[in-house]
Amino acid sequence: MNGFEPWLGDVTVSEGLWRFARSMDVQSDPYLRDHVVEGLPVFPAAYLVGLMTQAAHRVLPHLQVQGVRDVRFIQAARFKDHRGLTFAVTVKPSGTAPGWLPVEISSSMAPPRAGLPPILRTHASGEVLLGVPEAPPGRFQPLDFSGAADYAELYALPREIQHGPAFLAGLRYRRPARDQLLATVAPPGRPQLGWRPAPDAPGWPATLLNAVLHVAFSLGVMSSERTVLPLALESARLHAVPPGEVQVWARRKTSQEGRHVFHVASWDERGQPVGVFQGFAVQEVP
């Protein structure tokens, strides 16, 4: 465990269902204090994806996490009144699609008064692809970000969301067009350790996912001039976890009735592909 990455709980296996469960609060997971929405710590959507990949990798540790698809962010996990959540990540191999594992994340919270039932919520669902390592596609052209604007100004948008050190991954940005945003991101608060909390850590680093997707989130806020909340991620492929800086390109593909859909690509300083994210959808908050 560290102050930047989420971690799975104890596992039980029954009738093919794997269930990882643990209690979670701002003491056990201090990074929550650095992601505050309207005054309350909120579990980041990208971290939900990270937990999905961790769980799937624990089920099939001999394979590599290659992608995710059909991810839905159903309900935010908010932490209030100093009450913790019991987080549960469940995986049940279906056998219908080779390599794809369905994953769901839910939680329970103690009721506000004795005698009431616990508060149950489902936060996210999706599928994780595992397989043998594949050769990455062609190289990207590394960009020169000298003279670009400081990404810190994007963390101030929108006012309803505050980010602390655990999430300050963005370094520089450029907006070449209204529907595009280019940025450079780096491991937040721990450049000497890179993106992974440990070399053998399962799944995808949540900090890397969050840093890359935050570029699209920032573009959504800049485009709509409103707070936006994540809805879905159509698919994603992570080709490699680089040691240092990552260059990110986000493009808004569609915008209709307050719903924005983005395509995001990322690569390292040598132009080697890092990850490609298709159909990252956000919704404007009235």
Side-chain angles (χ1 to χ4, degrees):
M1 188 196 79
N2 60 62
F4 296 90
E5 290 274 345
W7 51 281
L8 292 171
D10 297 329
V11 63
T12 58
V13 183
S14 176
E15 298 182 353
L17 178 70
W18 292 61
R19 185 177 188 271
F20 301 86
R22 58 172 287 247
S23 60
M24 182 181 295
D25 54 36
V26 295
Q27 282 75 40
S28 64
D29 293 69
Y31 55 83
L32 292 170
R33 299 190 185 98
D34 288 346
H35 190 256
V36 176
V37 181
E38 296 182 338
L40 293 177
V42 174
F43 197 83
Y47 279 34
L48 293 170
V49 180
L51 283 181
M52 287 181 181
T53 66
Q54 282 189 38
H57 201 178
R58 287 278 298 275
V59 174
L60 298 175
H62 60 289
L63 298 177
Q64 177 177 298
V65 176
Q66 294 183 312
V68 299
R69 70 180 181 187
D70 300 332
V71 176
R72 293 189 305 131
F73 304 112
I74 301 167
Q75 192 170 14
R78 295 181 174 88
F79 294 79
K80 56 184 177 181
D81 303 330
H82 303 289
R83 286 180 289 167
L85 301 178
T86 298
F87 249 53
V89 185
T90 56
V91 186
K92 188 169 186 178
S94 62
T96 57
W100 289 99
L101 298 181
V103 186
E104 183 177 280
I105 301 180
S106 59
S107 73
S108 64
M109 177 188 287
R113 295 188 301 275
L116 296 177
I119 301 170
L120 306 177
R121 291 189 173 94
T122 299
H123 301 295
S125 65
E127 293 183 284
V128 180
L129 175 64
L130 293 103
V132 296
E134 297 178 350
R139 294 168 58 91
F140 288 81
Q141 179 64 44
L143 304 176
D144 180 8
F145 273 84
S146 58
D150 191 336
Y151 198 95
E153 63 189 70
L154 300 186
Y155 285 117
L157 301 173
R159 293 177 299 173
E160 293 83 359
I161 301 178
Q162 290 81 46
H163 297 91
F167 294 91
L168 301 181
L171 300 179
R172 298 169 294 279
Y173 81 93
R174 285 199 179 106
R175 194 180 184 187
R178 178 174 176 80
D179 291 337
Q180 296 182 29
L181 190 64
L182 291 163
T184 298
V185 300
R190 53 174 194 191
Q192 72 282 4
L193 299 178
W195 296 98
R196 283 199 181 279
D200 59 348
W204 293 350
T207 48
L208 176 59
L209 297 176
N210 190 75
V212 172
L213 289 178
H214 193 277
V215 179
F217 174 86
S218 294
L219 178 57
V221 173
M222 295 169 71
S223 299
S224 64
E225 298 183 352
R226 290 187 177 182
T227 302
V228 297
L229 295 178
L231 292 179
L233 178 61
E234 179 183 314
S235 66
R237 287 293 182 106
L238 195 70
H239 300 287
V241 178
E245 291 187 8
V246 175
Q247 297 187 350
V248 185
W249 174 72
R251 177 172 65 92
R252 186 173 59 174
K253 296 179 64 179
T254 63
S255 179
Q256 186 176 11
E257 297 181 350
R259 179 187 173 103
H260 308 273
V261 180
F262 301 94
H263 172 84
V264 186
S266 56
W267 57 95
D268 66 16
E269 296 174 286
R270 299 175 299 156
Q272 295 292 335
V274 172
V276 176
F277 301 80
Q278 301 270 10
F280 177 52
V282 302
Q283 180 69 45
E284 295 176 11
V285 177

